Amino acid sequence: AQRVTQPEKLLSVFKGAPVELKCNYSYSGSPELFWYVQYSRQRLQLLLRHISRESIKGFTADLNKGETSFHLKKPFAQEEDSAMYYCALRSGGSNYKLTFGKGTLLTVNP
Amino acid sequence: DAEITQSPRHKITETGRQVTLACHQTWNHNNMFWYRQDLGHGLRLIHYSYGVQDTNKGEVSDGYSVSRSNTEDLPLTLESAASSQTSVYFCASSETRAGATEAFFGQGTRLTVV
């Protein structure tokens, strides 16, 4: 069975500081990994997916198959980055459901 | 613009009552999902569907049912509401096209069972 682990429930940083939200997964195949963000009282929205290898709002994430990780990074945090972040995994093939981690609440202090 | 909408946004119901939460998408996506969001648990999959007349159980399906009679709608029914089902419910949809399998979420329904 697949599993997604986000070890930090809460993460607090100051504006301008680097931020890293950790995500580890367990799955024996070749999964597809995503980061979703949920701003206060809003719907979840896609932030990044590993196959696109792009930077969105200054965030990047690299899939490390050896360490089974997909950590989310931003070199300089902004106050508007404060939100709940979820890492999610799709096992691939004809399986389209997502398995989510428990989420990390990021607070960026002024 | 295509979208996915949930109704109602907020619902208070009594223990034992049957409740149905609506989800409607205009993306023409084959895949639709229902998740519940709880503090300390993240999002957990309740039921999902990969097409009309197809429904499948997720990890927390007990006490819930869904039906898929058309592409656009996947209503979620709580057969006999329990206090443990107080939660925020999110509907989502996605494509089957490779490279475009991310899920699009509705705005959520906050359900309180008293």
Side-chain angles (χ1 to χ4, degrees):
Chain A
Q2 59 235 38
R3 179 179 292 179
V4 177
T5 302
Q6 294 180 248
E8 304 128 335
K9 290 184 180 180
L10 303 169
L11 186 60
S12 181
V13 301
F14 286 103
K15 178 182 173 181
V19 62
E20 181 179 45
L21 290 84
K22 291 185 168 53
C23 172
N24 290 91
Y25 66 90
S26 61
Y27 181 65
S28 56
S30 295
E32 194 172 356
L33 275 294
F34 305 87
W35 275 100
Y36 281 83
V37 61
Q38 185 181 28
Y39 300 104
S40 181
R41 298 187 179 277
Q42 294 187 25
R43 70 183 73 197
L44 277 83
Q45 53 187 283
L46 178 70
L47 181 62
L48 287 174
R49 50 184 166 180
H50 87 270
I51 59 172
S52 59
R53 301 184 63 82
E54 58 192 344
S55 173
I56 303 292
K57 298 184 179 183
F59 286 97
T60 58
D62 290 318
L63 180 62
N64 186 323
K65 292 186 178 180
E67 296 184 357
T68 59
S69 68
F70 188 55
H71 303 328
L72 184 68
K73 300 177 184 179
K74 185 170 183 177
F76 307 104
Q78 303 299 313
E79 290 180 67
E80 55 265 30
D81 296 328
S82 296
M84 178 70 84
Y85 291 81
Y86 290 99
C87 183
L89 176 152
R90 186 179 81 87
S91 58
S94 59
N95 186 349
Y96 297 99
K97 60 184 188 287
L98 295 176
T99 299
F100 285 86
K102 294 184 178 181
T104 297
L105 180 62
L106 174 66
T107 302
V108 181
N109 302 296
Chain B
D1 287 342
E3 60 180 357
I4 178 166
T5 55
Q6 295 181 230
S7 62
R9 295 292 310 278
H10 302 273
K11 174 79 176 178
I12 301 174
T13 191
E14 294 178 343
T15 302
R17 289 194 179 265
Q18 183 181 80
V19 177
T20 296
L21 309 183
C23 176
H24 179 81
Q25 53 99 2
T26 57
W27 294 95
N28 200 34
H29 287 163
N30 284 327
N31 308 324
M32 294 186 74
F33 311 88
W34 274 104
Y35 292 88
R36 59 177 289 174
Q37 182 184 43
D38 303 286
L39 272 176
H41 291 278
L43 280 90
R44 292 179 291 175
L45 184 63
I46 305 171
H47 281 285
Y48 61 101
S49 167
Y50 288 163
V52 177
Q53 303 301 330
D54 175 74
T55 60
N56 306 279
K57 294 181 178 181
E59 64 177 304
V60 290
S61 60
D62 286 348
Y64 303 94
S65 63
V66 293
S67 61
R68 187 90 180 269
S69 58
N70 58 51
T71 300
E72 296 80 15
D73 300 288
L74 187 71
L76 177 71
T77 297
L78 287 69
E79 304 293 346
S80 176
S83 58
S84 60
Q85 294 176 310
T86 293
S87 186
V88 180
Y89 291 85
F90 284 98
C91 180
S93 70
S94 71
E95 286 191 59
T96 55
R97 181 167 55 93
T101 55
E102 70 268 26
F104 294 84
F105 282 82
Q107 67 272 58
T109 295
R110 184 175 296 275
L111 177 68
T112 302
V113 183
V114 298

